[in-house]
Amino acid sequence: MAYQGQDWNVVVINKKTKSKPKAADINSAIQRGAAVETVRKYAAGTNRTGVAPIKPAHLLEDDDAEIHVPHVDVDMRIKIQQARTAKGLTQKELATQINERATVISDYESGRAIPNPAVLTKIERALGVSLRGAKKKKKAPAS
């Protein structure tokens, strides 16, 4: 026979799964006085890490130091509003064009937003304007 030494029986492999202890089992163990270990998960079910941002060391030493967070300046706010209204777009329509929330556009136009280069690039492309200064012109070759 050509298939000597081969096992043709069906083998089923099942992965054992850990089962969570039920609340009733935990309560009965506590009532009996058994040792029960509980672990509280930090920030479970949220999208937050729960860690505060770390300040640079020189700012920690100087308690009097003020931290300046850059916001959208007045010129950029006006440019965004004028370009958006010139195209006849609402804040929501512009936001959907650049795949952002309407609150992002509102924050940029009101000056509450912290400038993000990626978002600014999207807004510039959608509106067809330069928000971060004049583009450099190439010099014509000298003849």
Side-chain angles (χ1 to χ4, degrees):
M1 195 179 223
Y3 298 112
Q4 288 181 346
Q6 295 210 5
D7 186 10
W8 292 99
N9 295 329
V10 176
V11 177
V12 178
I13 299 174
N14 290 330
K15 183 177 179 182
K16 292 183 180 181
T17 59
K18 289 185 178 181
S19 61
K20 285 182 149 182
K22 296 180 181 173
D25 295 338
I26 293 172
N27 289 335
S28 65
I30 291 172
Q31 289 172 354
R32 286 190 312 248
V36 178
E37 181 182 347
T38 59
V39 177
R40 183 178 179 114
K41 294 185 178 181
Y42 187 75
T46 64
N47 196 16
R48 298 179 184 159
T49 59
V51 179
I54 299 172
K55 293 181 181 179
H58 70 279
L59 293 178
L60 290 174
E61 292 173 3
D62 299 333
D63 291 336
D64 299 338
E66 292 183 19
I67 300 174
H68 176 68
V69 179
H71 289 282
V72 179
D73 61 340
V74 177
D75 295 334
M76 188 179 297
R77 292 167 36 190
I78 293 171
K79 283 182 185 179
I80 293 172
Q81 288 174 352
Q82 288 176 347
R84 179 181 56 80
T85 54
K87 284 215 167 195
L89 298 173
T90 63
Q91 288 180 347
K92 185 175 182 179
E93 291 170 344
L94 177 59
T96 55
Q97 279 187 4
I98 65 170
N99 295 326
E100 293 288 342
R101 293 174 306 200
T103 56
V104 172
I105 303 300
S106 173
D107 289 345
Y108 272 86
E109 288 186 359
S110 65
R112 290 186 305 261
I114 298 170
N116 181 351
V119 175
L120 288 174
T121 303
K122 290 182 195 178
I123 293 173
E124 287 175 339
R125 286 183 183 163
L127 297 177
V129 296
S130 176
L131 299 174
R132 293 175 275 185
K135 292 184 179 179
K136 295 180 181 178
K137 295 182 180 179
K138 293 183 181 179
K139 293 183 180 179
S143 20

